[in-house]
Amino acid sequence: MKYNPDYAIMPGKSVQEAMESLGYTQKEFAERLDTTPQSLNRIFNEAQPITHEMACKLELVTGTSASYWNNREAIYRERIAKINEKKQLEKDLAWLKGMPIKDLQERGYVVESDDKVELLRSTLQFFGVSSVNAWRELWSKPDNIAAKRSACFETLIGPASAWIRCGEKEAEKISCGEYNKELFIASLKKIRALTCKVNFTEALIETQKLCAQAGVAFVLVKEIKKVPWSGATKWLKNKAMIVLSIRGKAEDHFWFTFFHEAGHVVNDNKKYLYINDNAKIKTDPREVKADTFAANMLIPKIYNSRILKAKSSADIMLIANEIEVAIGIVAGRYRKLTGKWKMYNEITRKLEWVS
């Protein structure tokens, strides 16, 4: 239960009551306080605050502690600010309609409340902003958002920004060293070997640790409706964030997306947000470069001709064991090279979210 009164008790009235209880005229009270009747009148009517200096004077004249008067003034000013804030928030309630509130509530980021104003405050708090206008400044301006803006940012900016913010919130929990490019590249080579681990969860945990040591926060965020993204990269202060969903639900797609985002961390500008929106035709040179980085990290190009000649799952497994990468990744390369999208799906691990 919370007590949130929609009114504020004026401390100036208490000063006036103290004067009257002591039997002073306003002129005499002002003289005792070493102030003017006009100044005292402004305090009575809340046109002038009770300063710390005046609180000390009131303590001497009325016998009531300075801390009492200071607290009364502080509580009053805070309450007035809250009332004004509520009036402004009530004007911005329509903004909530564009947000995936139910999804954010299920994830524990936003409170469940019938009070729309409280719901709006909780959503703003989730985004770490003080107003809807501040949110627009951060998320609506192209210069503040992305080098490559997915269509989601044009038409569904609410769910899109919420998914990225979920990633930021999870990344905040990860303690990272300062970003070190050389160390991160070395870590990527170790992570490539982790794709072979039988226990996928263990591979993810170890991947997160290796990334953190190099100054990269790697997090998984479940997909939000209407935001069909596989991954994104964003810089947060002195560390990078790689956020992945498991869209596609196949290990080859997952690891390719991870190394694609890693390519943005290694090669691209720290000012931008990079989004992997699964576009079939990528014309942005940074996206093409990130794709090339991922492809070369996972399977060197020289193996493509052998993969193309594979006639069975055994051939795929043989190549995977030789280059020490997950079988599903080699199978995925085969599908990519041949366009035979149903081939070797049975040896490609599928991914599912668990509670």
Side-chain angles (χ1 to χ4, degrees), residues 167-349:
E168 293 176 349
K169 297 288 280 186
E170 293 305 309
E172 288 171 1
K173 301 174 184 177
I174 299 177
S175 178
C176 291
E178 189 169 349
Y179 175 65
N180 184 308
K181 182 176 180 179
E182 290 71 26
L183 181 58
F184 184 53
I185 292 173
S187 296
L188 291 176
K189 295 175 181 178
K190 296 177 182 177
I191 292 168
R192 179 184 180 277
L194 289 173
T195 65
C196 298
K197 284 186 78 73
V198 175
N199 189 312
F200 196 80
T201 300
E202 289 180 4
L204 292 180
I205 292 171
E206 189 61 29
T207 296
Q208 191 175 67
K209 289 179 181 178
L210 288 168
C211 286
Q213 290 169 6
V216 178
F218 166 50
V219 297
L220 298 179
V221 174
K222 193 173 184 179
E223 184 180 331
I224 285 180
K225 291 179 181 178
K226 302 179 182 179
V227 186
W229 296 343
S230 295
T233 302
K234 185 179 179 182
W235 285 86
L236 310 173
K237 296 180 181 178
N238 66 335
K239 67 183 177 183
M241 173 187 75
I242 291 177
V243 53
L244 264 59
S245 68
I246 59 169
R247 186 172 174 79
K249 297 185 177 181
E251 62 178 330
D252 59 315
H253 184 82
F254 178 89
W255 287 116
F256 188 89
T257 303
F258 171 81
F259 281 96
H260 172 100
E261 300 306 329
H264 284 308
V265 174
V266 171
N267 296 314
D268 294 322
N269 197 308
K270 295 182 179 181
K271 293 181 180 180
Y272 300 128
L273 164 66
Y274 299 95
I275 297 164
N276 188 332
D277 64 351
N278 310 299
K280 292 182 179 179
I281 300 175
K282 295 180 178 178
T283 57
D284 189 316
R286 288 160 295 202
E287 295 303 307
V288 174
K289 188 175 182 180
D291 272 355
T292 302
F293 179 88
N296 291 337
M297 282 293 299
L298 287 168
I299 304 175
K301 191 182 295 186
I302 58 172
Y303 286 93
N304 285 350
S305 59
R306 280 188 59 191
I307 293 172
L308 274 169
K309 295 175 183 177
K311 300 299 182 182
S312 65
S313 295
D315 291 339
I316 296 294
M317 293 179 187
L318 185 65
I319 297 170
N321 291 334
E322 181 180 330
I323 62 178
E324 297 180 323
V325 73
I327 296 167
I329 292 175
V330 178
R333 177 65 61 88
Y334 178 90
R335 289 189 288 269
K336 178 72 174 178
L337 292 172
T338 63
K340 299 177 180 178
W341 303 110
K342 294 183 179 180
M343 287 294 292
Y344 305 126
N345 282 324
E346 72 281 0
I347 57 173
T348 303
R349 285 184 291 183

